[in-house]
Amino acid sequence: KDSWNCYPTISPWGDEIVFNELKGNSMNYYLAIYNLSSGRKDYLNTEEGWLEPAFSRNGNYVAAGWYNYEEGGGLYFINLKTQKY
């Protein structure tokens, strides 16, 4: 719902979707994961500025670009068990 160009990617097992979401009036994307079985949506972190996420082949990580005007950007790999990168 409030997402534009959300870049959805389905997990290797087809049970989850990772995507970018615009929240409120923000023009920055937050990183979210949606469980198709439970209908639950969780945010992987509280930072904005995430771009084009994708699952790793084994489904344990999400790779996503991150950018902010003050700090620049990079490519991050987020461990889905710990939600750390």
Side-chain angles (χ1 to χ4, degrees):
K1 179 181 164 181
D2 303 319
S3 291
W4 175 75
N5 284 340
C6 62
Y7 303 105
T9 302
I10 297 174
S11 70
W13 298 279
D15 60 343
E16 294 180 308
I17 298 172
V18 66
F19 61 98
N20 298 112
E21 181 179 62
L22 290 173
K23 290 180 11 178
N25 294 328
S26 173
M27 289 304 294
N28 291 308
Y29 291 108
Y30 290 82
L31 195 56
I33 193 164
Y34 181 79
N35 185 293
L36 293 167
S37 298
S38 68
R40 181 179 168 160
K41 175 177 66 174
D42 292 310
Y43 293 97
L44 295 178
N45 49 44
T46 58
E47 296 174 330
E48 54 188 39
W50 292 98
L51 305 166
E52 300 188 43
F55 282 96
S56 64
R57 288 185 183 180
N58 66 9
N60 294 328
Y61 294 87
V62 166
W66 178 82
Y67 184 80
N68 129 342
Y69 290 107
E70 291 82 31
E71 299 177 33
L75 179 64
Y76 291 89
F77 297 91
I78 301 168
N79 182 317
L80 292 176
K81 291 182 183 177
T82 65
Q83 294 192 355
K84 294 188 184 209
Y85 48 93

